[in-house]
Amino acid sequence: MLPVVSFHYNYKNTARTVNIGDYVQTLAVEAFYDRYFPEARRISLDRDELASYDGEPALVIMQGWFSNPGNLDFIPSPKLTPVFVGTHFSLDIRNELISPACDFLARFGKQEIGCRDFSTMHYWRAYGGNAYYSRCLTLTFPRRTACPEKQKKIFWVDVPERFRPLIPPAFHNHAESVCQRALRYQPGMESHFKQYARDLLKKYRDEAACVVTTAIHCAMPCASMGIPVLFIKASDRNTVIERWSALYGVIPVYTENDLENGLVPDRIPDPLEFEELKENILKNTYFACLRAMGQHTDDAEITAARQFIAEFNQTQAPSYESLRTRDAMKTLYELWSLKDTLRDFKQAWPYRIVWPFWKIYGLSRCLKENGWRYTFDRIRKTIFK
């Protein structure tokens, strides 16, 4: 058996904050290894430095978010056998992945890419890739034992201030706020943040009556543990196909518009159970690992597992294609209605006066947060695009 890889996160020592959701994904992958490959030796590698790995051959599950602009160092080195399950390619790097300068498409274009979300799946298929919808291993944490006398808190995890007055009163009792997506980054603290993620999941499991969150890697593990979740998608108001769609049909997903229009429930929801989905996600991941290592797999069984994952819909959510079409048209209508207003605004003298100062502010902020090399690259791409 090959050694198996789990991720830690140095963010190339340029990040200002840590997303604990990254470490939640690592814990989910390690739980999978514990169950299916308990004897395999473990290797911890930086998610953003896989390209430079030159050790012994190893298996790596590519569960995660990949990646920041200009960073293709997550692409596994030839010494690694990648298993693409729960993979998300960010909008920032998609053009880079299919560019002639990158060998990703040539190396992995025929390999199965298990995508966490609809957006990644359709993007990869559009370029001829062999993509399917795998959802996310953070949906496979074991279900907790209910203990109402101890599980009384309502955790508000990364809930924007503007949402709070709109959330019904039932979710305000015994509330405790938690920041999961923007902890202060400190180099060399990887083990600390991993333990923090472990402790946080235990806290949710043992104390939560409900979790209100905008963070997918809070919503998914909490839902899998049997905790009632009110999940509100805080960004991309007009689209439903981006990163959150691993949750599609598992628990209700509410938008910012739903919150503003009073369409969220006015009481704590019942926990939803999806044990069969969990087992199929785990089974698919196991078979994907065996295939990557050249071992025999039952094609009919893996096809059935993937079909179950793709078709699971216990919330009676509208079909993906209808949502995709509806939201695309809504976005177009809004753009059309704003086009004339935007044109007039740009021609007005206040905009012409403020524009240079706004650009200078943006340049200084980019320099401060990302450094000279990244800023120069962005300027170059803007000028020569």
Side-chain angles (χ1 to χ4, degrees):
M1 175 67 201
L2 291 173
V4 294
V5 172
S6 60
F7 293 154
H8 60 261
Y9 309 88
N10 290 336
Y11 307 103
K12 291 189 173 288
N13 290 321
T14 61
R16 301 177 69 183
T17 59
V18 174
N19 184 348
I20 291 300
D22 290 333
Y23 288 93
V24 171
Q25 292 184 87
T26 291
L27 294 175
V29 170
E30 291 181 350
F32 168 82
Y33 290 147
D34 289 340
R35 176 169 173 176
Y36 289 95
F37 303 119
E39 303 301 322
R41 192 163 60 80
R42 307 292 176 87
I43 300 174
S44 180
L45 297 180
D46 185 347
R47 174 194 60 185
D48 299 318
E49 298 290 350
L50 299 181
S52 61
Y53 177 73
D54 194 30
E56 61 183 307
L59 181 80
V60 56
I61 292 179
M62 298 294 287
Q63 160 86 41
W65 179 93
F66 308 96
S67 184
N68 288 311
N71 173 31
L72 296 178
D73 291 337
F74 70 84
I75 298 176
S77 84
K79 292 291 187 72
L80 295 170
T81 299
V83 180
F84 291 94
V85 170
T87 304
H88 171 77
F89 295 132
S90 75
L91 296 175
D92 292 326
I93 65 155
R94 292 184 182 181
N95 287 337
E96 296 178 56
L97 278 181
I98 50 89
S99 71
C102 178
D103 67 349
F104 190 87
L105 191 59
R107 287 180 60 193
F108 303 115
K110 300 303 180 184
Q111 186 165 336
E112 294 176 327
I113 306 290
C115 303
R116 187 172 75 193
D117 52 273
F118 297 137
S119 179
T120 299
M121 179 181 74
H122 282 274
Y123 152 74
W124 199 239
R125 285 179 177 178
Y127 288 97
N130 182 7
Y132 69 95
Y133 178 45
S134 69
R135 300 191 192 254
C136 182
L137 281 169
T138 62
L139 285 168
T140 64
F141 286 98
R143 193 172 179 83
R144 71 179 182 178
T145 301
C147 186
E149 62 272 15
K150 294 182 179 179
Q151 298 158 352
K152 295 181 178 180
K153 288 184 181 179
I154 296 178
F155 290 99
W156 291 40
V157 184
D158 296 307
V159 178
E161 287 295 330
R162 69 182 187 276
F163 285 6
R164 295 178 180 242
L166 302 173
I167 295 173
F171 297 94
H172 291 253
N173 298 324
H174 306 290
E176 178 179 327
S177 294
V178 175
C179 176
Q180 187 173 296
R181 290 191 296 197
L183 276 68
R184 182 172 173 271
Y185 173 69
Q186 294 176 280
M189 296 287 287
E190 294 84 4
S191 60
H192 165 78
F193 291 124
K194 184 177 179 182
Q195 185 60 46
Y196 181 86
R198 187 179 288 110
D199 293 343
L200 200 55
L201 291 180
K202 183 177 184 298
K203 187 178 181 71
Y204 296 152
R205 183 195 69 198
D206 295 343
E207 301 179 23
C210 178
V211 171
V212 181
T213 187
T214 62
I216 56 172
H217 291 302
C218 173
M220 288 194 283
C222 286
S224 71
M225 290 188 288
I227 300 170
V229 174
L230 178 65
F231 178 66
I232 304 166
K233 186 169 66 71
S235 58
D236 303 321
R237 292 162 63 109
N238 297 317
T239 179
V240 297
I241 64 170
E242 250 307 304
R243 297 171 58 241
W244 70 263
S245 54
L247 275 169
Y248 183 79
V250 178
I251 62 172
V253 175
Y254 298 98
T255 65
E256 187 172 346
N257 288 335
D258 292 333
L259 196 60
E260 292 170 348
N261 294 319
L263 300 178
V264 300
D266 58 3
R267 65 175 184 84
I268 294 176
D270 295 327
L272 295 179
E273 186 171 327
F274 45 94
E275 297 305 304
E276 192 172 1
L277 175 63
K278 290 182 189 180
E279 289 304 312
N280 278 281
I281 292 172
L282 291 168
K283 182 188 297 184
N284 170 63
T285 306
Y286 176 62
F287 279 121
C289 289
L290 294 183
R291 279 186 172 181
M293 293 186 291
Q295 298 183 25
H296 173 73
T297 59
D298 186 321
D299 291 345
E301 196 168 357
I302 196 169
T303 298
R306 291 178 181 177
Q307 183 176 356
F308 187 93
I309 293 167
E311 296 177 356
F312 184 83
N313 185 1
Q314 68 180 3
T315 64
Q316 286 75 56
S319 72
Y320 160 66
E321 289 300 338
S322 71
L323 287 170
R324 190 182 188 203
T325 303
R326 183 190 70 192
D327 285 341
M329 291 306 299
K330 183 177 179 182
T331 302
L332 286 174
Y333 288 140
E334 290 182 348
L335 288 173
W336 289 335
S337 68
L338 288 172
K339 185 172 66 174
D340 292 339
T341 303
L342 182 61
R343 182 195 61 210
D344 294 341
F345 174 71
K346 286 187 173 182
Q347 291 176 352
W349 65 265
Y351 176 83
R352 294 172 180 268
I353 292 173
V354 171
W355 183 85
F357 297 98
W358 181 252
K359 289 296 181 182
I360 292 170
Y361 168 76
L363 177 63
S364 64
R365 182 174 178 181
C366 190
L367 281 169
K368 182 178 179 181
E369 294 182 358
N370 302 294
W372 277 102
R373 181 178 296 179
Y374 175 84
T375 303
F376 177 79
D377 191 54
R378 288 297 296 269
I379 293 171
R380 180 180 58 81
K381 289 180 179 179
T382 301
I383 294 174
F384 297 105
K385 68 180 179 180

